[in-house]
Amino acid sequence: MPREIIVVTAAYGNDRIQAAGGQRNLLAVIAAAGADGVEIRRELFTPQELDALPAFAHTLSLLGLFACYSAPEPLCSPDGKLNPLLPTLLSEAAQLNARWLKVSLGHFRNATALAPLKGWLAQHSVALVVENDQTDCGRLAPMSRFSAAVTEQALPIALTFDMANWLWVGDSAQDAARELAPLVRYIHVKAAVPHHYHYRAVALDEAPPSWRDLLRQLPADAPRGIEFPLESRDLVAVTRHYVNLLREE
């Protein structure tokens, strides 16, 4: 079965998305480039667009794309409890017919706090994936503790592995891949280079080749999401280039 490739709408940049009139108007570009799916970002929706998710889902269906719904929300709040917004986010993801909802880990403390998740997830045909972000909460140590808790409780939760975010938190991406790979079901393909006092994401053709070795440490059947900058006058062409590259790599 061919490897599935997802395009993250944010890869086109906020200015380009706004100029296009919103994420929905980039779906045809993504489909024309041969991608299988699209990661839709909640933070890029207007309130009016959030009220029209079924129409967005209809457009996805017409174009033959599946969806991942990404929300800039943590799984766990600062008090260690589950984010009370999660049921709403799962409902929105269901309206989009999304395969999964993606959130960051947040302030995970112990497995006990995860108890309500099974009930919440049972109400929708939407899976949950948790990503390592660019904060201390997304470091390898808490991600490993969380993965152990998920495995121990047999929770229907998996991980999104962002290949470059480890740079921001000062952890080894290779160590993270070795430890977390068994629970990884979605890969954010991203490379970054030093920039001032931090890093900036770059297109794969501009990055050191080490991203290839890291990618090979991760599950070969996990869908790969393009989350690095896609910049060109011809968005279909540049998107197709990287869709084909990641499908064959």
Side-chain angles (χ1 to χ4, degrees):
M1 183 177 178
R3 183 175 287 120
E4 291 183 321
I5 307 299
I6 295 169
V7 177
V8 180
T9 57
Y12 296 111
N14 289 355
D15 291 344
R16 198 72 178 257
I17 292 169
Q18 290 179 11
Q23 296 176 92
R24 188 175 177 182
N25 292 329
L26 287 170
L27 298 181
V29 170
I30 294 169
D36 303 286
V38 54
E39 180 179 315
I40 301 157
R41 305 298 278 258
R42 188 179 196 262
E43 68 270 26
L44 298 179
F45 276 142
T46 65
Q48 293 74 23
E49 288 170 327
L50 271 176
D51 289 335
L53 296 180
F56 200 111
H58 181 64
T59 301
L60 286 166
S61 178
L62 290 176
L63 292 171
L65 295 169
F66 69 83
C68 163
Y69 189 45
S70 173
E73 290 287 336
L75 179 70
C76 298
S77 300
D79 61 4
K81 297 179 181 179
L82 288 176
N83 185 339
L85 190 59
L86 282 171
T88 296
L89 299 177
L90 286 165
S91 176
E92 291 173 359
Q95 291 179 65
L96 284 169
N97 294 323
R99 282 192 185 179
W100 56 76
L101 166 68
K102 182 177 72 67
V103 296
S104 61
L105 179 57
H107 299 266
F108 172 72
R109 295 180 184 172
N110 56 66
T112 305
L114 303 178
L117 270 178
K118 278 189 177 180
W120 292 355
L121 290 169
Q123 297 178 39
H124 305 285
S125 58
V126 177
L128 182 67
V129 292
V130 176
E131 179 184 19
N132 58 295
D133 64 8
Q134 297 175 9
T135 73
D136 284 345
C137 296
R139 297 198 66 181
L140 180 54
M143 292 295 294
S144 295
R145 287 192 294 105
F146 173 71
S147 298
V150 165
T151 302
E152 182 181 340
Q153 295 195 25
L155 292 170
I157 303 172
L159 300 181
T160 294
F161 189 98
D162 188 294
M163 292 170 54
N165 280 354
W166 306 106
L167 290 170
W168 272 265
V169 299
D171 282 336
S172 164
Q174 289 73 24
D175 289 348
R178 282 190 290 271
E179 191 159 338
L180 302 177
L183 270 184
V184 171
R185 297 295 180 271
Y186 177 34
I187 303 167
H188 262 186
V189 179
K190 186 165 68 183
V193 297
H195 182 66
H196 299 307
Y197 297 105
H198 295 286
Y199 296 88
R200 65 179 178 90
V202 296
L204 297 183
D205 288 348
E206 303 169 22
S210 55
W211 65 267
R212 297 176 186 269
D213 293 331
L214 178 58
L215 193 55
R216 294 186 186 108
Q217 290 184 250
L218 298 168
D221 59 349
R224 297 172 172 182
I226 295 173
E227 208 209 9
F228 48 84
L230 292 173
E231 299 172 340
S232 172
R233 290 184 178 180
D234 190 337
L235 290 183
V236 172
V238 69
T239 306
R240 183 186 294 118
H241 167 68
Y242 286 113
V243 166
N244 292 339
L245 175 67
L246 290 179
R247 186 167 280 136
E248 296 165 4
E249 183 60 37

